[in-house]
Amino acid sequence: MNFAPWNTGSRIKAVVGHYGSGKTEFSLNMALAARAAGRRALVADMDIVNPFFRSAEQGERLKRAGVELIAPPYALTGVDLPVLSPEIYAIFEQPERFCVLDVGGDDAGAAALGGLSGRLAAQGADLYYVVNPYRPFSNTVERVMEMMERIQRRARLQVTGLVNNANLGEETGAEELLEGRTLLEKVSRRCGVPVVCECGFEGVLQQLPPGPPSFPIARYLMPEWLL
């Protein structure tokens, strides 16, 4: 079964996670897939803590695909100011749009959601927590749970879905995703939050035994030294 979040739950999906979890890649792929499926889609870059590897870098790609982008006014300028664009409130005024909020890493980044938490809760926004157990401080149930709780406190919202994004970049195979699946199944049992999907390259996902909904992704955020 494939993951199609634009057809289930809230039309607003906020994406959080540890630094390096792949949440921005997941966010971009989710919005682009929604648009390819015929939905009007929007990405809001809400990262106010990290100037690199952010949705705003893919502005031209999103525009060509017909996906709207909202980004902080100083994104990609080198100016380090934690300011959100006032355009962010458009997500509440366009009920026909599928909106993806790409939130900054860790609890520091999740603080950007705090000021919007009341309106997000009123609209029933989904909060997806992306986990890559091959990143530091994400390799045990206790560490994943600790960061999730910190993010929830700062965001003033509860996580509604876990995303298995276990990967080692281009070296990722089925074994890595299965290890991530095992970890998140334990987290899910501990906190009662479901695993909504596992994502990876399509060829790798096809090797997996039945499990959570799969979400094939492409890689858009590539450091220059890998190009």
Side-chain angles (χ1 to χ4, degrees):
M1 180 172 61
N2 286 330
F3 180 59
W6 47 91
N7 290 332
T8 60
S10 173
R11 67 176 184 84
I12 300 176
K13 312 292 186 184
V15 183
V16 296
H18 211 309
Y19 287 117
S21 63
K23 58 184 178 47
T24 294
E25 201 79 87
F26 175 69
S27 297
L28 290 168
N29 275 271
M30 190 160 49
L32 289 165
R35 184 68 189 122
R39 288 293 301 272
R40 297 183 66 186
L42 176 153
V43 171
D45 182 339
M46 295 185 65
D47 193 339
I48 59 173
V49 295
N50 183 11
F52 307 108
F53 299 103
R54 55 189 309 159
S55 297
E57 296 178 12
Q58 296 299 311
E60 285 301 315
R61 184 188 302 275
L62 294 170
K63 182 178 180 180
R64 289 196 302 270
V67 176
E68 183 179 347
L69 172 67
I70 295 174
Y74 298 102
L76 309 182
T77 66
V79 178
D80 187 18
L81 289 177
V83 179
L84 290 175
S85 169
E87 294 178 353
I88 193 67
Y89 293 98
I91 66 175
F92 303 113
E93 300 160 0
Q94 301 179 14
E96 76 287 354
R97 275 182 201 266
F98 177 73
C99 299
V100 179
L101 313 185
D102 178 20
V103 183
D106 291 7
D107 51 327
L113 288 174
L116 303 175
S117 60
R119 298 186 69 173
L120 289 169
Q123 295 221 1
D126 290 320
L127 186 62
Y128 290 160
Y129 180 34
V130 180
V131 178
N132 177 6
Y134 295 101
R135 296 294 296 173
F137 310 112
S138 298
N139 61 337
T140 68
V141 172
E142 290 72 24
R143 285 177 166 177
V144 172
M145 290 284 295
E146 179 187 2
M147 178 53 65
M148 183 170 70
E149 290 166 1
R150 287 167 54 183
I151 286 173
Q152 289 179 144
R153 284 197 298 270
R154 295 297 294 276
R156 302 178 193 170
L157 296 165
Q158 295 297 303
V159 170
T160 61
L162 303 170
V163 175
N164 175 17
N165 189 41
N167 75 86
L168 293 170
E170 300 297 325
E171 304 302 317
T172 307
E175 180 180 353
E176 285 73 33
L177 273 169
L178 288 174
E179 288 184 0
R181 179 188 292 186
T182 298
L183 175 66
L184 284 191
E185 285 173 346
K186 294 176 181 178
V187 173
S188 180
R189 287 195 295 270
R190 179 84 65 88
C191 66
V193 177
V195 179
V196 294
C197 78
E198 47 194 15
C199 48
F201 299 131
E202 187 167 12
V204 175
L205 291 173
Q206 291 173 349
Q207 301 173 35
L208 301 180
S214 61
F215 184 51
I217 62 171
R219 192 171 183 186
Y220 298 120
L221 299 170
M222 293 282 286
E224 291 185 2
W225 56 272
L226 281 180
L227 295 176

